[in-house]
Amino acid sequence: MSQPILSKPGIHLVSLEKLQLIGLHVTVPFELGKDGERSVHRVREEFRRRRHEIHHAVHPARYVCAHYASEVLFTYFYCLEVSSLHTIPGGMTGFTVPPHRYAAIRSEGDPYLEIENGLLSRGLRKDTKALALEFYSFERPLWPSEVDVYVPLLPTSEEEI
């Protein structure tokens, strides 16, 4: 699966086919200072060290961060997209993200705020039960200016028919 780099400004409405991902995850509370030894940054560094253990990478030069949140906890995955989930390295998780429609953006500012404001103006809503995705390049993982952010959308009434 190949997502284009979002080079045009603004919010793009796109559909992605299923993604198969393998990687490491961390769940932390939103309270500052409560993330302990498995902080988001420590898991990122462990993922970068261990990424060579993941076989069948579709795009070895980029990684995908999938995440979701509740009112108190945040779960963040560092993954490679793979063509097969048959071999999952020890301590890692493999899973399939089903097809979704997304609002996508690459932004110099807060991409999530820009998408939320854009969705409201278009009468669209995010799907809070689905995973949001961030596509990073290993070479230039600069937040937010070099990251493509995809927020899943609830189906519209026309799509449900």
Side-chain angles (χ1 to χ4, degrees), residues 119-146:
L119 293 181
L120 290 174
S121 70
R122 295 179 189 195
L124 298 170
R125 295 182 319 176
K126 65 182 173 181
D127 184 345
T128 58
K129 293 184 179 181
L131 293 169
L133 305 171
E134 299 169 357
F135 292 86
Y136 287 83
S137 157
F138 279 109
E139 187 178 303
R140 292 184 49 87
L142 303 173
W143 176 263
S145 61
E146 298 289 329

Side-chain angles (χ1 to χ4, degrees), residues 24-81:
L24 295 171
H25 71 279
V26 60
T27 299
V28 295
F30 280 118
E31 292 179 58
L32 291 176
K34 299 278 186 180
D35 56 354
E37 291 183 26
R38 298 241 342 132
S39 76
V40 173
H41 300 294
R42 287 187 180 127
V43 172
R44 179 188 64 216
E45 293 311 310
E46 181 182 353
F47 170 73
R48 289 169 81 71
R49 280 193 313 274
R50 295 188 59 201
R51 70 184 185 186
H52 69 278
E53 298 175 31
I54 301 170
H55 301 287
H56 311 293
V58 175
H59 302 285
R62 86 167 180 222
Y63 60 101
V64 182
C65 293
H67 58 87
Y68 61 91
S70 73
E71 61 186 341
V72 294
L73 296 173
F74 176 69
T75 299
Y76 202 76
F77 291 85
Y78 289 94
C79 302
L80 286 179
E81 181 183 355

Side-chain angles (χ1 to χ4, degrees), residues 4-18:
I5 293 174
L6 298 171
S7 57
K8 293 182 181 176
I11 298 170
H12 305 270
L13 300 180
V14 298
S15 293
L16 298 183
E17 296 300 318
K18 75 175 185 176

